[in-house]
Amino acid sequence: MEIINFSNGAVTSKEELRELVGFPHEHVIKKEISIIDEHCKKFISMSPLFFLSTSNAEGRCDVSPRGDRPNGIKILNDHQLVIPVRPGNKRVDSLMNILENPHAGLVFLIPGLDEVLRINGRATVITNEELLDDMGGKAPFIGIGLDVEECFIHCSRALLKSKIWSPDTWQDKESLPSGLDIFLAHLSINGVEIKK
């Protein structure tokens, strides 16, 4: 398969991009706030799933899904929150990125709701037991402290168009990709063979 050179015909300036897409309405700009207000607190408290976006010093990005019980995020005040880091596969890509580049983005989802809450800020890997206590279940030994810089509700278009919450659009389970098959195939590409 031929490799495409994306630089041919690429948009290379902000001015060119604005000529193509135009400018956002004033309301779209002014919906952004710099505090965790009562609406954001309620949204976060009801969200069992969010996505954490980070990048390292070179700009290499990572987006990590994080699932926990609703109310699993500790909101310290109007400007700070704490995310528990639960035991996982020990790759800790997000944490390694935060050590190099503290900028992080979060997207919170609530099942059945088409809008999402976006929060951006500066992240710190923390081990402060007092901050990590009382987060539901066993207290994590490590977490992410976030100094919030931007909060805003994101429009429902993507989730509405995808019909993600409509069971009648879901594929039959038998036709879905197998996580195990993908995992084993990717190991095989890297020369590791494991029998099922």
Side-chain angles (χ1 to χ4, degrees):
M1 182 165 79
E2 181 185 356
I3 300 297
I4 304 299
N5 182 350
F6 286 123
S7 65
N8 292 333
V11 175
T12 57
S13 72
K14 293 178 182 178
E15 294 77 18
E16 185 181 1
L17 181 60
R18 283 296 175 201
E19 279 184 31
L20 289 167
V21 301
F23 290 85
H25 189 280
E26 178 187 22
H27 296 170
V28 174
I29 300 296
K30 293 199 171 172
K31 71 179 180 177
E32 178 187 310
I33 60 175
S34 60
I35 62 168
I36 312 168
D37 73 346
E38 293 307 313
H39 295 289
C40 294
K41 289 174 184 174
K42 183 175 182 181
F43 200 111
I44 293 167
S45 76
M46 298 178 75
S47 173
L49 174 68
F50 69 95
F51 293 85
L52 171 64
S53 174
T54 60
S55 65
N56 66 14
E58 288 78 44
R60 185 173 176 152
C61 297
D62 177 72
V63 178
S64 174
R66 303 289 174 121
D68 211 328
R69 63 180 177 80
N71 232 2
I73 304 280
K74 183 186 277 188
I75 298 171
L76 301 177
N77 52 56
D78 289 349
H79 300 279
Q80 296 175 304
L81 55 81
V82 176
I83 301 164
V85 175
R86 303 295 183 190
N89 60 18
K90 298 183 173 45
R91 281 186 59 112
V92 296
D93 296 320
S94 301
L95 301 182
M96 297 292 262
N97 285 345
I98 289 167
L99 294 175
E100 293 186 19
N101 175 4
H103 299 288
L106 309 172
V107 172
F108 290 92
L109 289 88
I110 298 174
L113 185 65
D114 291 318
E115 289 80 13
V116 300
L117 178 67
R118 289 175 54 179
I119 295 183
N120 298 315
R122 295 179 67 82
T124 305
V125 179
I126 62 171
T127 57
N128 182 316
E129 291 180 13
E130 186 178 334
L131 294 178
L132 295 170
D133 191 26
D134 192 30
M135 299 194 79
K138 185 177 178 183
F141 65 91
I142 194 167
I144 299 167
L146 189 78
D147 290 295
V148 171
E149 296 172 338
E150 300 174 314
C151 297
F152 57 95
I153 200 76
H154 195 80
C155 78
S156 59
R157 182 175 295 144
L159 272 66
L160 278 172
K161 283 189 146 321
S162 70
K163 298 185 179 178
I164 190 74
W165 307 127
S166 301
D168 58 317
T169 67
W170 297 351
Q171 304 287 328
D172 292 330
K173 253 198 162 22
E174 296 76 35
S175 67
L176 296 176
S178 160
L180 177 60
D181 288 346
I182 295 169
F183 176 68
L184 294 175
H186 289 184
L187 285 177
S188 179
I189 289 170
N190 286 314
V192 180
E193 298 292 339
I194 297 177
K195 297 196 178 188
K196 287 192 205 181

